Amino acid sequence: MNSKFLDFRSDTVTRPTAGMLDAMMSAKVGDDVFGEDETVTSLENKLASMFNMEAGLFCPSGTMTNQIAIKCFTQPMDEVICDQTAHVYRYEIGGIAYHSAASVRLLYGERGILTPELIEPEINEDNIHYPNSSLVVLENTVNKGGGKCYTLDQIAPIHHLCNIKGLKLHLDGARIFNALVATGDKASAYGKYFDGISICLSKGLGAPVGSVLLGTNNMIKKARKIRKAFGGGMRQAGFLAAAGIYALDHHVERLKDDHEHAKALAIALAKTSYVQSIMPVETNIVVFEVANGSAQKIVDQLKEKGLHCNTTSASTIRLVTHLDLNPSMIDEAIEIILHL
Ligand SMILES: *Cc1c(COP(=O)(O)O)cnc(C)c1O
């Protein structure tokens, strides 16, 4: 069933396990647009209570949960503050402008990590010329930052600043469980810091589809309506939600294996002459810079040997570890890396 090559392109490439498929097959479903799918409701409630938030909303993608959150937290002509590497800005097709008619203020964090010192000067004062700064978006882990994590100690002062200044704070937590496993922070401590949290089930957790948006009851009520307007109201979605519940029960602790695998790859890469530098590995993403020649050339050579990955710029390459890459496949990959 799984592809024959070693697939390090993304943690989205995993296939459901036999146990996950069983859970999907036996899910109790109903029409979720009528609020009658108990498996969807149970997934939404499970994540909301894990993160100490009031309510959840199951959506087809993380792009949708982020874009709905941004629409909930802004008015047209407002401004969203985020890092220049942010997924909400770079990889959501200008959705902030399209859906929310808001502008974006880009900051330059270290590996995508923002601080109150970076944010505060960029919050607009009340002036007839300026857009109203209404929302800060953080990403944890930072995808473009090579899977770098925020700790709650770093998030608390950002929350404090947003609170004083009257801005909402949203978390793009596509890989929040990787961050929780790496930092040891508790999911339950997150609720008090964020107005919205977006969580992907289809990345490291290994579900085939789905993301959940968390917020207050009122916010999620509004979000549910926006989801319908986006065309994201789903019917017997419990079959998919069951995969998410299974992933939360079985695939969180094992993320530490992916992190160890990523570190082992980085150690191997550091021994080669074609690698210039490697971003310190914190989770399941390895980003490295090639010494000379183009990154694409190295990607092509790796692919020739059966290791598939992607460039992230003309000189950088990303490898992502996941559920479908077992220890012997990591050993194989290390051999390929060492003898390229
Ligand atoms: C993958 C990802 C998302 C959501 O992507 P979808 O493919 O729309 O589910 C959001 N933010 C980050 C940081 C991501 O890596």
Side-chain angles (χ1 to χ4, degrees):
M1 186 173 78
N2 288 335
S3 40
K4 288 182 293 296
F5 57 86
L6 301 166
D7 199 346
F8 287 88
R9 292 171 303 164
S10 173
D11 46 8
T12 56
V13 300
T14 57
R15 315 290 167 89
T17 61
M20 183 178 280
L21 284 170
D22 278 349
M24 294 170 75
M25 291 286 283
S26 56
K28 291 202 174 70
V29 300
D31 190 326
D32 184 53
V33 174
F34 298 162
E36 290 171 3
D37 191 303
E38 60 183 277
T39 309
V40 170
T41 304
S42 128
L43 170 65
E44 290 169 345
N45 292 341
K46 185 180 174 77
L47 274 168
S49 71
M50 277 175 89
F51 283 83
N52 241 328
M53 305 284 273
E54 286 176 10
L57 182 70
F58 184 50
C59 291
S61 71
T63 298
M64 191 183 281
T65 51
N66 280 334
Q67 291 297 321
I68 290 174
I70 292 165
K71 191 149 182 65
C72 280
F73 295 138
T74 59
Q75 293 294 320
M77 301 184 285
D78 280 359
E79 191 157 80
V80 177
I81 298 174
C82 64
D83 187 77
Q84 54 97 12
T85 60
H87 194 281
V88 293
Y89 172 70
R90 285 204 182 220
Y91 302 111
E92 299 186 8
I93 333 100
I96 296 177
Y98 184 69
H99 300 300
S100 299
S103 61
V104 183
R105 184 77 139 249
L106 296 178
L107 308 189
Y108 287 75
E110 170 72 24
R111 291 178 68 185
I113 298 289
L114 300 184
T115 61
E117 293 70 31
L118 286 171
I119 296 167
E120 185 159 14
E122 306 299 330
I123 298 174
N124 289 331
E125 59 189 69
D126 189 13
N127 177 306
I128 193 164
H129 299 93
Y130 299 159
N132 175 41
S133 309
S134 58
L135 174 66
V136 173
V137 178
L138 306 182
E139 192 173 299
N140 200 14
T141 67
V142 184
N143 181 355
K144 268 274 206 193
K148 188 164 179 59
C149 303
Y150 280 92
T151 61
L152 279 171
D153 292 344
Q154 294 170 297
I155 289 168
I158 295 175
H159 160 76
H160 181 69
L161 174 66
C162 290
N163 208 23
I164 299 174
K165 300 281 185 179
L167 278 73
K168 300 283 190 198
L169 185 58
H170 174 68
L171 176 65
D172 177 355
R175 295 188 179 81
I176 185 60
F177 283 100
N178 294 90
L180 293 172
V181 165
T183 60
D185 283 338
K186 295 261 178 297
S188 57
Y190 267 71
K192 65 175 178 287
Y193 294 124
F194 290 100
D195 299 287
I197 300 181
S198 166
I199 298 166
C200 285
L201 302 162
S202 57
K203 299 272 165 83
L205 294 185
V209 175
S211 290
V212 174
L213 177 61
L214 305 178
T216 62
N217 286 322
N218 265 341
M219 182 261 188
I220 292 297
K221 189 174 172 203
K222 185 173 171 187
R224 196 173 289 279
K225 207 151 183 176
I226 296 168
R227 185 186 67 175
K228 194 77 180 86
F230 281 5
M234 298 179 287
R235 305 295 179 170
Q236 286 72 33
F239 292 117
L240 299 173
I245 293 171
Y246 182 91
L248 290 169
D249 291 340
H250 297 90
H251 295 166
V252 172
E253 265 186 50
R254 63 154 304 285
L255 289 171
K256 68 179 186 311
D257 302 339
D258 294 344
H259 299 177
E260 276 167 27
H261 291 163
K263 289 191 176 106
L265 293 169
I267 289 168
L269 286 163
K271 292 179 183 156
T272 68
S273 56
Y274 56 91
V275 173
Q276 174 81 41
S277 65
I278 308 166
M279 278 190 193
V281 174
E282 295 189 9
T283 54
N284 69 327
I285 299 176
V286 186
V287 173
F288 63 96
E289 192 180 355
V290 298
N292 42 44
S294 75
Q296 190 57 51
K297 206 175 89 194
I298 300 293
V299 164
D300 292 342
Q301 288 172 357
L302 288 166
K303 187 172 177 182
E304 190 87 347
K305 301 220 169 178
L307 191 166
H308 291 213
C309 58
N310 284 323
T311 62
T312 49
S313 75
S315 61
T316 56
I317 296 174
R318 186 182 82 155
L319 301 177
V320 188
T321 58
H322 54 73
L323 183 62
D324 285 1
L325 291 166
N326 62 35
S328 77
M329 294 158 99
I330 299 297
D331 289 344
E332 249 182 274
I334 288 172
E335 286 305 306
I336 293 170
I337 286 168
L338 291 175
H339 303 110
L340 190 69

